[in-house]
């Protein structure tokens, strides 16, 4: 009817069938068939694959590209691997913008306090991504509880960092994960009967690794254990390895010192994203860090924004608590425990 009035019907559908950590079952083939059935015959569907890598600099993009070969190296059958209609492309004619960092660093247990102090004070816009709980354990063992809390506010599981990006990513545990998968595959190869159970676990682990290494827009630092590991097709064995002092120097040399206002906004961004993920403890800590800076360097506008953020966190936490209590009350009503429900 609109065509008769001079309107032309247009439809744009976007989707990603290679989602890994939270797969939805989305399939382009099924989707295209569906639209072909319900749309008028004169409407032609055209595929426009967006395969160009847009987030990370080339050195990290190559790492992401190499990571897809891990599915083959750990003998994960094609039918179990993520399905995707296109392969990521790297523009060979475009140079990285500025000096990017891709480094490996091994940190001794006694140096964790220095590491977390440096990162939380100077780079609150970064993210600490933990693949094997090594960072969680390091944070829990920090003698300074205030340092432990602010460090936790920068700590992410792969499922939590998914959908986000950061200028600087510190990734811990990749060496441990690769070593564990290699050992498991060796045991599997020695067995006569080979089930797909290992393949399913390996696929899930590789999915997590690929999400974790694809979050950086500039700098990627791999935090390692002391035992060397073969990174296989990732090619990380050729990446420069530095000690803690060299790491601090390279970060300071590459990333300009942030102003107090920039630090405030970094903590605000963290708090907002923590609220979305219902990580209220971390959101409150990020807001507390921002408040300390606002008190010293902020103006009335910053103070008003800080107050609004704190109120938003409080409202979100109260909503979560109310929903939890209502859920408990419903369960008690189903059990006919009316006194407890009240």
């Amino acid at each position: 009817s609109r065509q008769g009035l001079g309107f032309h019907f247009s439809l744009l559908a976007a989707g990603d069938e290679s989602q890994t950590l939270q797969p939805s079952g989305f399939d382009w083939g099924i989707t295209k068939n569906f639209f072909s059935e319900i749309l008028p015959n004169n409407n032609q569907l055209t595929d426009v694959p967006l395969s160009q890598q847009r987030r990370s600099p080339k050195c990290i993009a190559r790492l992401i590209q190499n990571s897809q070969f891990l599915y083959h190296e750990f003998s994960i059958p094609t039918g179990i691997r993520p399905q995707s209609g296109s392969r990521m492309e790297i523009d060979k004619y475009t140079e990285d913008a500025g000096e990017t960092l891709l480094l490996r660093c091994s940190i001794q247990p006694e140096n964790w306090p220095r590491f977390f102090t440096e990162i939380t004070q100077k780079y609150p816009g970064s993210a600490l991504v933990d693949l094997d709980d090594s960072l969680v354990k390091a944070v829990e063992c920090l003698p300074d509880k205030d340092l432990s809390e602010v460090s936790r506010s920068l700590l992410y599981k792969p499922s939590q960092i998914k959908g986000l990006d950061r200028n600087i990513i510190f990734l811990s545990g990749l060496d441990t994960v690769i070593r564990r998968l290699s050992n498991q595959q060796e045991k599997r190869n020695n067995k006569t009967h080979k089930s797909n159970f290992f393949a399913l676990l390996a696929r899930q682990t590789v999915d997590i690794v690929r999400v974790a290494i694809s979050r950086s827009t500039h700098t990627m630092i791999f935090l390692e254990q002391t035992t060397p590991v073969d990174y296989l097709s990732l090619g990380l064995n050729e990446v420069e390895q530095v000690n803690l002092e060299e790491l601090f120097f390279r970060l300071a040399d590459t990333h300009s010192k942030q102003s107090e206002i920039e630090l405030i906004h970094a903590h605000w961004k963290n708090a907002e994203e923590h609220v979305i993920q219902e990580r209220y403890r971390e959101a409150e800590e990020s807001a507390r860090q921002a408040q300390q800076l606002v008190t010293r360097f902020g103006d009335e506008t910053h103070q008003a924004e800080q107050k609004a953020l704190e109120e938003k966190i409080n409202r979100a936490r109260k909503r979560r608590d109310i929903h939890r209590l209502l859920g408990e009350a419903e369960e008690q009503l189903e059990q006919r425990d009316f006194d407890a429900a009240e």
Side-chain angles (χ1 to χ4, degrees):
S1 61
R2 289 196 170 189
Q3 288 181 347
L5 298 174
F7 292 94
H8 296 282
F9 176 77
S10 298
L11 173 67
L12 173 64
D16 181 5
E17 63 182 356
S18 63
Q19 290 294 314
T20 53
L21 295 190
Q22 288 100 22
S24 62
F26 174 77
D27 184 282
W28 264 122
I30 296 174
T31 304
K32 288 174 63 178
N33 291 339
F34 169 74
F35 283 124
S36 296
E37 292 176 359
I38 66 172
L39 294 177
N41 294 330
N42 61 341
N43 283 281
Q44 299 297 320
L45 297 178
T46 304
D47 284 338
V48 184
L50 302 177
S51 55
Q52 193 73 41
Q53 202 285 138
R54 301 290 183 182
R55 177 186 292 115
S56 303
K58 284 202 301 184
C59 62
I60 299 176
R62 292 191 191 97
L63 174 66
I64 300 169
Q65 191 177 62
N66 290 342
S67 68
Q68 69 181 337
F69 297 112
L70 291 176
Y71 295 113
H72 171 74
E73 296 209 67
F74 291 119
S75 305
I76 302 172
T78 303
I80 298 179
R81 302 177 195 176
Q83 303 302 308
S84 178
S86 60
R87 178 178 173 178
M88 185 189 76
E89 298 176 0
I90 302 174
D91 187 354
K92 61 182 179 180
Y93 300 106
T94 302
E95 296 296 327
D96 286 337
E99 182 188 0
T100 60
L101 284 183
L102 181 62
L103 300 171
R104 297 157 53 202
C105 181
S106 178
I107 301 179
Q108 300 297 324
E110 63 271 15
N111 287 330
W112 280 121
R114 287 188 59 217
F115 170 79
F116 286 116
T117 299
E118 181 84 0
I119 301 311
T120 56
Q121 290 182 357
K122 296 183 179 180
Y123 310 102
S126 64
L128 305 165
V129 183
D130 196 358
L131 290 178
D132 65 347
D133 289 337
S134 56
L135 289 179
V136 170
K137 295 174 182 176
V139 167
E140 290 176 347
C141 292
L142 290 173
D144 186 331
K145 297 306 178 184
D146 288 338
L147 178 59
S148 177
E149 286 298 315
V150 67
S151 299
R152 184 178 285 106
S153 70
L154 302 187
L155 194 59
Y156 293 83
K157 299 177 181 178
S159 60
Q160 294 168 335
I161 199 66
K162 179 177 171 59
L164 308 179
D165 55 51
R166 289 292 187 272
N167 197 31
I168 306 174
I169 292 287
F170 299 92
L171 179 60
S172 180
L174 179 60
D175 52 342
T176 304
V177 168
I178 294 295
R179 184 183 296 109
R180 183 173 68 242
L181 283 177
S182 298
N183 292 339
Q184 290 175 347
Q185 185 187 33
E186 185 177 350
K187 293 179 181 178
R188 177 175 180 265
N189 291 339
N190 293 331
K191 293 182 178 179
T192 304
H193 175 69
K194 298 179 175 61
S195 70
N196 279 337
F197 180 69
F198 167 79
L200 289 169
L201 291 178
R203 180 260 160 97
Q204 184 183 42
T205 303
V206 174
D207 289 346
I208 290 172
V209 167
R210 299 193 73 199
V211 167
I213 65 177
S214 65
R215 301 297 100 193
S216 172
T217 61
H218 187 279
T219 292
M220 189 86 183
I221 309 297
F222 292 91
L223 306 178
E224 301 177 317
Q225 306 294 326
T226 54
T227 306
V229 65
D230 182 0
Y231 284 106
L232 306 172
S233 59
L234 289 175
L236 280 175
N237 292 91
E238 290 74 38
V239 169
E240 182 181 1
Q241 190 172 26
V242 298
N243 60 34
L244 191 59
E245 294 297 337
E246 291 170 327
L247 174 62
F248 290 164
F249 174 79
R250 297 286 288 277
L251 287 171
D253 188 54
T254 304
H255 296 273
S256 58
K257 183 179 179 180
Q258 290 185 301
S259 68
E260 287 77 10
I261 301 303
E262 288 175 322
L263 294 174
I264 290 172
H265 282 272
H267 288 298
W268 281 350
K269 179 181 180 181
N270 291 341
E272 292 278 1
E273 291 175 344
H274 289 324
V275 169
I276 293 174
Q277 296 184 352
E278 297 186 351
R279 300 177 63 193
Y280 299 117
R281 177 179 177 179
E282 290 82 359
E284 289 172 346
E285 177 58 30
S286 295
R288 188 178 74 85
Q289 293 295 322
Q291 176 61 59
Q292 293 177 353
L293 292 167
V294 168
T295 301
R296 294 160 55 195
F297 304 104
D299 54 19
E300 292 183 1
T301 300
H302 288 96
Q303 292 171 2
E305 291 186 42
Q306 174 70 23
K307 182 178 180 181
L309 173 62
E310 293 172 355
E311 291 175 348
K312 180 178 181 178
I313 296 172
N314 289 332
R315 288 196 303 270
R317 181 186 279 278
K318 288 179 180 178
R319 282 196 301 269
R320 192 275 309 271
D321 292 342
I322 290 172
H323 290 158
R324 177 178 57 80
L325 290 172
L326 288 174
E328 292 176 358
E330 288 181 359
E331 292 180 1
Q332 289 157 350
L333 285 174
E334 291 177 357
Q335 298 172 5
R336 305 187 68 80
D337 189 349
F338 302 116
D339 292 337
E342 289 183 1

